[in-house]
Amino acid sequence: DADVTQTPRNRITKTGKRIMLECSQTKGHDRMYWYRQDPGLGLRLIYYSFDVKDINKGEISDGYSVSRQAQAKFSLSLESAIPNQTALYFCATSDRPWVAGGHNEQFFGPGTRLTVL
Amino acid sequence: ILNVEQSPQSLHVQEGDSTNFTCSFPSSNFYALHWYRWETAKSPEALFVMTLNGDEKKKGRISATLNTKEGYSYLYIKGSQPEDSATYLCARYPNTGNQFYFGTGTSLTVIP
């Protein structure tokens, strides 16, 4: 079974609809992230969370919100979807940098392809 | 350099050729540089995490070097194979702040 799962894998929706993308992980990591990928652009960070009570905005948080329901679950919501939010969305996890000599190596989910019409 | 830049954007090589590509990043406020391999229809997977100037990492036929003073890292693939075809991403993690900055990737196609 995959360590980081995302649902749904594909979604087509209409402008103005509220959409939730879900991410679950079994790696036991404290840190979770949401990124979006657009053609010609690098992965850009939307939100990140370092534990259940911690939520932080990333580079491009406008139009998005998140919820960290448990250590293993991190949801991304588009309150009112718009066409320029059409993208590939990735959830990722990482361990704390000082654990086992790690440096925030990111473990990515399979991605959710979202299309907003 | 304000952002993470990767070159070339895409690359086609023949099977057996060796190749390399570049990741450039701001040299100030540096903590770590990551390389990821992203195969089509899969998710990115970490290849290397590099932190020290002069670091050199190797995994099979793939290796990477790091120069934090001048702000660049090279990824080398020796004797490219079709299974090496993927997009290679680099990401900088600065000393302050808590987020990665990804480059746009180098897309490698190895022609059998």
Side-chain angles (χ1 to χ4, degrees):
Chain A
D1 287 342
D3 294 320
V4 184
T5 57
Q6 293 182 232
T7 56
R9 296 291 312 277
N10 288 283
R11 182 73 184 265
I12 299 173
T13 191
K14 293 182 179 179
T15 297
K17 294 290 187 183
R18 184 175 189 274
I19 296 296
M20 180 180 286
L21 309 183
E22 302 198 13
C23 176
S24 295
Q25 54 114 347
T26 58
K27 296 193 74 67
H29 289 165
D30 289 328
R31 299 182 169 202
M32 297 187 75
Y33 310 79
W34 275 105
Y35 292 92
R36 66 177 277 176
Q37 168 73 40
D38 298 277
L41 298 176
L43 286 163
R44 292 183 293 165
L45 184 64
I46 306 171
Y47 270 96
Y48 62 98
S49 168
F50 284 178
D51 67 41
V52 174
K53 295 186 175 73
D54 179 71
I55 299 290
N56 303 280
K57 292 183 178 180
E59 194 181 350
I60 52 163
S61 58
D62 286 351
Y64 300 95
S65 62
V66 290
S67 171
R68 184 82 185 267
Q69 302 94 322
Q71 189 207 35
K73 294 184 184 298
F74 192 36
S75 301
L76 176 73
S77 293
L78 286 67
E79 298 301 326
S80 179
I82 56 177
N84 76 1
Q85 290 177 313
T86 293
L88 182 58
Y89 289 84
F90 282 105
C91 173
T93 74
S94 71
D95 214 335
R96 289 163 286 165
W98 54 87
V99 172
H103 294 281
N104 267 344
E105 175 187 347
Q106 308 268 286
F107 293 86
F108 288 88
T112 294
R113 188 164 295 281
L114 177 66
T115 303
V116 183
L117 301 176
Chain B
I1 295 173
L2 298 179
N3 299 313
V4 177
E5 297 174 359
Q6 292 188 247
S7 62
Q9 187 175 6
S10 66
L11 192 54
H12 290 73
V13 302
Q14 291 292 135
E15 182 175 353
D17 287 350
S18 294
T19 187
N20 64 85
F21 21 94
T22 305
C23 172
S24 303
F25 52 87
S27 56
S28 60
N29 195 22
F30 176 87
Y31 182 75
L33 192 285
H34 292 209
W35 281 100
Y36 292 84
R37 175 164 59 200
W38 186 6
E39 295 178 65
T40 303
K42 295 187 178 180
S43 44
E45 291 185 348
L47 274 174
F48 303 115
V49 175
M50 309 175 79
T51 58
L52 299 176
N53 185 46
D55 246 358
E56 186 167 339
K57 302 266 183 173
K58 189 173 181 181
K59 189 180 288 188
R61 294 177 291 98
I62 304 177
S63 60
T65 60
L66 178 67
N67 183 321
T68 60
K69 294 188 187 308
E70 296 182 38
Y72 64 84
S73 176
Y74 294 139
L75 189 80
Y76 300 91
I77 303 178
K78 186 178 177 182
S80 303
Q81 299 297 307
E83 59 265 30
D84 296 328
S85 296
T87 296
Y88 292 83
L89 299 171
C90 68
R92 168 180 171 264
Y93 193 76
N95 217 8
T96 56
N98 289 306
Q99 70 175 64
F100 282 95
Y101 296 89
F102 281 83
T104 54
T106 292
S107 173
L108 174 67
T109 303
V110 182
I111 303 163

